[in-house]
Amino acid sequence: MRIPRGGRRPPPSLHHLLLLLAALCFAALKTAAAAPRTAGGTEEGGGGIASVTGGIMTWATWPPKCAWLPLRTSGKSHSYNLVSKYHKIWKDAISAKDISRKEPVGGVIALKESMKYFDADFFNDSKLREMENGAKEFNVPAFRENRRLVAIKDGGLHDPSVLVFKSSWSWSSKSKVKESEMFDYPQTSMPQRPSNDEDIAFMSIIELGELIRTKKITSRELTDVFLRRLKRYGTVLESVITYTEDLAYKQAKEADDLLEQGKYLGPLHGIPYGLKDIIAVPEYNTTWGSKTFKNQVIDMEAFVYKRLKSAGAVLVAKLVTGSLAYDDIWFGGRTRNPWNIEEFSTGSSAGPTASTSAGLVPFAIGSETAGSITYPAARCGVTALRPSFGTVARTGVMSLSESLDKLGPFCRSAADCAIVLDAIRGADAGDPSSREIALEDPFHVDITKLTVGYLDSAEMEVVKVLSAKGAKLVPFKLNYNVESVQSILNITMDVDMLAHFDNWQREGHDDDYEAQDQWPVELRRARLVPAVDYVQAQRARGRLIREVQESFTVDAFIGNATDWELVCLGNLVGLPIVVVPTGFKSIEHPPKGNTRRRTTVTTGIYAPPDHDHIALALAMAYQSVTDHHKQRPPIDAN
């Protein structure tokens, strides 16, 4: 899900920079036996680059504002030895004749040699050429923009990095985690058990929970219903990786037995669900959607799985994640949109979204680093919550980026999202970024006291409905001066991801990756991001956070859920968003005859960090008088 980047002023050729290093190495060896010298030149441009022709030192034009650094003439210090080693390596690769001709050394050759100093000399020429182009097109312009924002003034007194070290040992095994108060769930009228499976499959969590609590249906019967639907439609949508059938029936029996003993665990008691297959469950494969890891079993219980198990929920399937959580392509195919089978779901939380939309599970857990909840939810017409960063501990979950990854639910409604969030939120020792956030009860928020902004991209029906419900709606715009929002996210995510999959790349597994224009390209480019420019990106991110905070003059705002700039900004800042279905429109190129296939229309309700309850309350208010979220997709029907 990368938006094409606009044209930028091309940076200096990478091989010219590497040629400069080679020339410096030659100069270092010559000056080691003689007094340091400074090449003649003007005050503005001064100096030159040493080259050798027939044993005679000559000088090429030196870039402005550069000067020789003095080197020791005796004793051969550590610095001198290091420069000499570089010189020897470069001399073996690039002859003096190459330099004296003043012809550029081939970019691929130069880059190939330079990768030795990154301990990464394992790329073939075609990959190096792609990396060179990527560095010119993306890396260098991004580095320059971030340096312009935060690195003009030396000393680090302004724009500190958001990657702040915490020396507290509060995450030791002896520490106690503060218990949060549970939400006060609404009571529903006594529902009757539907006579057919499809009607059961599209009931809300609150309705299903009441059927179980009043013993009008058992967890075993519900598990039967959803496993049948998963096996019927899972292959059509390519949304299921592993059926956890034995575990599901075991957990369903435990839920039914507890109820017989008079013990009711709450609204998720006995409710089936699915997990995105980056979440570890013992004794079952956790494939990460990748052929490289398709037989992997991680013998640990992820925090979110433990939370749902303790709430009495029943795991029926590990659902599709795009390969290594990139997009909707995985080792078994590509996940489809239940509202239009000819379309793909988009986003790496493809399986949870499509399965929830199609009524294969009442809810599912997905994740987002950069759009993998918002994009597929919008495409498949599902209500979904991307929580504030740190709300749900990620222990036992494949990591892309420690400062961006978030877990969240896909559900039938915003009320269901609130119920699931209440069960899974919390801190854990395995995830130092997780926090106990004191969320207010979304079921008891008075929206008439809220001021809600709306962007130009907002669905106006939502604005009108919330206004009629008593909220104060005002035009709104986020004001910030950081122009590199998208590149900050890409630098952060890609470098973090490469740190987690360094060995995967070094061993050449990227050649086996399911979509060669995705992670393989981005992670090779990430090899060329210097540490200093990674930190500069985090400093620019810090400025963005402050500017957004200063301009956030409303309690929440409504806007497009899939605008790429807003997706990047929301993830960098940690904003929660509820994706809300708001209608449908005709598909392009419909099949002959009448068709039920539709393109879903959605909007996003955004709130400040740690105010998820505000976004949920507004979404619930909207859905209380609309029924877009209750519509059923045709799946494989015409």
Side-chain angles (χ1 to χ4, degrees):
M1 294 184 297
R2 297 293 176 269
I3 303 302
R5 295 178 290 276
R8 297 179 183 267
R9 182 169 55 87
S13 172
L14 181 60
H15 62 254
H16 283 143
L17 299 177
L18 296 171
L19 177 57
L20 175 59
L21 177 58
L24 284 170
C25 294
F26 271 104
L29 187 63
K30 287 291 182 182
T31 55
R37 58 175 294 177
T38 301
T42 67
E43 183 177 351
E44 289 295 317
I49 300 176
S51 64
V52 179
T53 306
I56 302 174
M57 183 75 72
T58 61
W59 298 93
T61 303
W62 185 267
K65 301 298 184 184
C66 292
W68 287 103
L69 295 176
L71 295 173
R72 291 176 181 261
T73 58
S74 63
K76 295 193 175 180
S77 68
H78 173 76
S79 298
Y80 169 77
N81 289 334
L82 186 60
V83 171
S84 296
K85 288 178 181 178
Y86 280 125
H87 168 75
K88 183 179 187 304
I89 294 171
W90 278 87
K91 183 179 179 181
D92 292 342
I94 305 171
S95 69
K97 185 178 180 181
D98 290 330
I99 298 174
S100 64
R101 286 200 310 246
K102 301 182 183 178
E103 294 178 0
V105 179
V108 169
I109 296 174
L111 184 57
K112 191 170 190 175
E113 289 301 313
S114 71
M115 293 310 290
K116 294 178 181 179
Y117 311 122
F118 293 94
D119 192 27
D121 52 340
F122 48 83
F123 298 107
N124 62 33
D125 287 356
S126 63
K127 291 178 180 177
L128 289 166
R129 188 171 294 108
E130 164 219 296
M131 291 164 69
E132 180 188 19
N133 292 336
K136 292 176 181 177
E137 178 189 359
F138 176 81
N139 292 28
V140 174
F143 299 161
R144 288 175 172 173
E145 174 60 18
N146 290 333
R147 288 198 297 268
R148 183 191 68 79
L149 281 172
V150 298
I152 294 175
K153 295 182 179 179
D154 293 330
L157 299 179
H158 308 283
D159 302 306
S161 168
V162 294
L163 301 181
V164 180
F165 171 65
K166 292 198 311 180
S167 61
S168 170
W169 285 14
S170 60
W171 298 109
S172 68
S173 58
K174 296 180 181 179
S175 64
K176 293 183 179 180
V177 176
K178 178 183 176 182
E179 292 292 331
S180 300
E181 292 185 5
M182 301 293 287
F183 298 157
D184 182 16
Y185 309 124
Q187 297 295 317
T188 183
S189 57
M190 297 289 286
Q192 295 300 312
R193 175 174 174 170
S195 59
N196 65 76
D197 284 1
E198 178 155 327
D199 289 340
I200 292 173
F202 284 95
M203 295 180 81
S204 69
I205 289 173
I206 293 176
E207 292 168 334
L208 292 173
E210 190 63 13
L211 286 180
I212 286 180
R213 189 186 69 81
T214 57
K215 300 183 180 179
K216 293 179 180 178
I217 196 170
T218 65
S219 180
R220 167 75 191 219
E221 290 173 316
L222 265 189
T223 300
D224 281 337
V225 168
F226 287 105
L227 278 171
R228 282 196 295 269
R229 288 185 66 80
L230 281 162
K231 292 178 179 179
R232 163 68 177 86
Y233 294 111
T235 53
V236 174
L237 296 172
E238 300 181 38
S239 64
V240 182
I241 293 183
T242 303
Y243 300 99
T244 56
E245 193 166 357
D246 292 343
L247 176 63
Y249 284 124
K250 176 177 178 290
Q251 292 180 341
K253 183 178 185 305
E254 291 171 353
D256 290 334
D257 290 347
L258 281 175
L259 201 57
E260 287 300 316
Q261 299 166 22
K263 299 176 181 177
Y264 180 63
L265 301 178
L268 294 183
H269 187 123
I271 304 296
Y273 73 99
L275 289 175
K276 182 175 180 178
D277 199 28
I278 61 172
I279 301 171
V281 176
E283 300 181 14
Y284 286 92
N285 288 358
T286 300
T287 69
W288 300 340
S290 165
K291 66 180 71 173
T292 305
F293 302 99
K294 65 184 296 186
N295 297 316
Q296 171 180 251
V297 176
I298 300 175
D299 189 24
M300 69 181 299
E301 290 187 335
F303 174 85
V304 67
Y305 170 67
K306 287 194 288 187
R307 279 296 176 101
L308 289 168
K309 186 170 70 168
S310 67
V314 175
L315 179 64
V316 290
K318 302 287 292 296
L319 303 174
V320 163
T321 171
S323 184
L324 302 185
Y326 191 102
D327 200 2
D328 53 18
I329 300 172
W330 59 292
F331 67 82
R334 190 172 187 184
T335 305
R336 296 182 176 273
N337 174 14
W339 279 101
N340 182 1
I341 199 70
E342 296 299 319
E343 286 185 336
F344 301 109
S345 65
T346 80
S348 69
S349 297
T353 320
S355 296
T356 304
S357 173
L360 312 190
V361 287
F363 75 95
I365 304 299
S367 70
E368 171 156 330
T369 308
S372 288
I373 287 178
T374 53
Y375 271 89
R379 172 65 63 86
C380 299
V382 174
T383 305
L385 168 67
R386 182 188 74 205
S388 296
F389 177 77
T391 303
V392 182
R394 302 158 301 180
T395 309
V397 180
M398 191 201 92
S399 177
L400 271 69
S401 171
E402 285 89 347
S403 69
L404 292 171
D405 297 343
K406 295 158 290 292
L407 297 174
F410 296 89
C411 299
R412 303 255 173 276
S413 67
D416 283 0
C417 284
I419 289 171
V420 176
L421 177 66
D422 201 22
I424 63 176
R425 64 191 174 115
D428 183 71
D431 180 3
S433 294
S434 59
R435 299 172 291 143
E436 292 290 348
I437 300 174
L439 293 176
E440 295 180 22
D441 189 334
F443 296 104
H444 293 279
V445 172
D446 183 356
I447 71 164
T448 65
K449 296 180 179 179
L450 300 179
T451 299
V452 181
Y454 58 92
L455 305 181
D456 292 340
S457 62
E459 286 293 321
M460 292 309 295
E461 186 212 17
V462 181
V463 174
K464 294 175 182 177
V465 167
L466 291 179
S467 181
K469 295 285 286 184
K472 180 182 179 181
L473 275 294
V474 297
F476 178 69
K477 182 179 180 180
L478 277 174
N479 295 311
Y480 55 92
N481 296 315
V482 176
E483 297 180 0
S484 55
V485 172
Q486 298 174 29
S487 67
I488 292 170
L489 183 132
N490 276 272
I491 289 171
T492 304
M493 178 178 65
D494 291 353
V495 172
D496 290 355
M497 178 66 177
L498 181 56
H500 301 138
F501 285 88
D502 181 25
N503 190 62
W504 173 82
Q505 187 189 72
R506 289 176 181 276
E507 294 191 356
H509 294 303
D510 55 343
D511 291 333
D512 300 323
Y513 188 77
E514 288 73 8
Q516 283 296 306
D517 61 339
Q518 296 179 358
W519 278 136
V521 172
E522 294 203 25
L523 297 189
R524 287 194 284 268
R525 189 179 66 215
R527 281 280 172 195
L528 302 179
V529 177
V532 66
D533 286 297
Y534 177 86
V535 174
Q536 303 297 25
Q538 303 318 305
R539 296 177 69 197
R541 181 182 180 184
R543 173 177 285 196
L544 173 68
I545 291 170
R546 289 191 298 278
E547 291 179 351
V548 169
Q549 181 181 5
E550 290 169 0
S551 72
F552 214 116
T553 56
V554 292
D555 295 300
F557 70 85
I558 304 165
N560 190 313
T562 57
D563 176 85
W564 183 238
E565 175 83 359
L566 200 49
V567 168
C568 293
L569 181 146
N571 280 287
L572 288 170
V573 176
L575 302 180
I577 175 178
V578 179
V579 180
V580 182
T582 59
F584 303 89
K585 59 184 180 180
S586 300
I587 64 172
E588 296 180 2
H589 312 299
K592 292 182 179 180
N594 293 328
T595 180
R596 293 173 52 212
R597 298 177 187 174
R598 294 288 183 270
T599 295
T600 59
V601 180
T602 58
T603 201
I605 301 177
Y606 298 79
D610 302 349
H611 287 70
D612 307 49
H613 55 283
I614 299 294
L616 287 166
L618 290 167
M620 286 190 283
Y622 171 74
Q623 291 183 336
S624 70
V625 293
T626 59
D627 64 356
H628 305 300
H629 61 291
K630 296 181 179 180
Q631 304 307 306
R632 304 178 187 179
I635 310 179
D636 57 349
N638 198 34

